[in-house]
Amino acid sequence: MVSFLGAALSFPTVLFSFLLLVVVGYWLLVLTGVLDLGDDLDVDGVPGGILAGLGLGGLPSAIGFSLLVAVAWFVSLAGSALLDGLGFGAAARIAVSVGVLLVAALAAWLVTRLAAVPLGRLFQAGTESSRHAFVGSLCTIRTGRVTADFGQAEVAAADGSAATVQVRQTGAEPLHAGSPALIYDYDVEGEFFWVTPGDFALDPDHSRHAPR
């Protein structure tokens, strides 16, 4: 445990350890419903536009940034552990550590770049026209609450696949994770759906909307 902490807090791994803590904290807040997956993970002014410039535009910025940090941290940690076993001198250790940092950054970009296309499809709700096709459908709420500016749900597409979409409601009805809701409108500017409490029993094919 002590050796692990030493490697995690040594250069260059320590650079990614802080970012990894931010990423873990972000996903904990998403899982508990405090944050929405649609809320960007913006660390030290790193917006999704920079990720797009790196060829990672197919992913939501939170997904892309999280994957970059996780892979870079793991590679740098493995490199640091290897350096500890080789017994380099101080000057040589610094030079080799810089090399590990560059390798970790490159590996993180390559892995995330390869994952961008398949993962992007999982989080893409489709074009504007296909999004309008969801209007009138039942969905399953996936966040702890739904308000006028927060919420997320899962809805079945025409091909049977599931899409995760942003949802909002004008009222104060208790919509929570697992609740059925009816999509009745789409906000083009905000790119989210307006929902109201629904009932799966009213849908002849309600089994496809059931929470998994």
Side-chain angles (χ1 to χ4, degrees):
M1 185 64 179
V2 175
S3 60
F4 171 80
L5 290 177
L9 297 177
S10 64
F11 179 81
T13 311
V14 66
L15 300 177
F16 301 110
S17 294
F18 167 74
L19 295 177
L20 185 65
L21 289 176
V22 175
V23 167
V24 171
Y26 170 84
W27 287 109
L28 287 176
L29 292 177
V30 169
L31 291 175
T32 55
V34 176
L35 288 180
D36 195 332
L37 183 57
D39 296 333
D40 283 341
L41 179 56
D42 189 351
V43 180
D44 291 336
V46 181
I50 293 180
L51 295 180
L54 295 174
L56 308 177
L59 288 174
S61 59
I63 302 294
F65 185 79
S66 299
L67 191 55
L68 278 172
V69 171
V71 174
W73 180 84
F74 178 80
V75 173
S76 62
L77 180 67
S80 296
L82 180 61
L83 292 180
D84 289 340
L86 295 178
F88 282 107
R93 173 62 187 263
I94 293 176
V96 177
S97 294
V98 172
V100 171
L101 174 62
L102 296 177
V103 171
L106 179 60
W109 179 82
L110 287 174
V111 171
T112 308
R113 184 71 180 88
L114 291 174
V117 175
L119 286 180
R121 291 171 182 167
L122 296 177
F123 291 92
Q124 186 176 11
T127 62
E128 183 177 319
S129 60
S130 65
R131 290 173 182 174
H132 279 290
F134 288 137
V135 175
S137 301
L138 285 171
C139 63
T140 302
I141 303 302
R142 292 305 186 198
T143 50
R145 58 190 171 86
V146 177
T147 65
D149 54 12
F150 175 87
Q152 196 173 56
E154 182 179 291
V155 61
D159 61 1
S161 62
T164 300
V165 297
Q166 305 302 315
V167 295
R168 307 289 185 265
Q169 71 162 333
T170 57
E173 292 84 356
L175 286 174
H176 50 79
S179 296
L182 174 66
I183 298 174
Y184 65 87
D185 196 9
Y186 177 66
D187 189 294
V188 177
E189 182 177 350
E191 297 186 344
F192 60 79
F193 294 91
W194 289 107
V195 298
T196 188
D199 188 348
F200 289 141
L202 300 178
D203 186 352
D205 193 19
H206 64 277
S207 61
R208 67 177 183 171
H209 301 284
R212 291 189 294 274

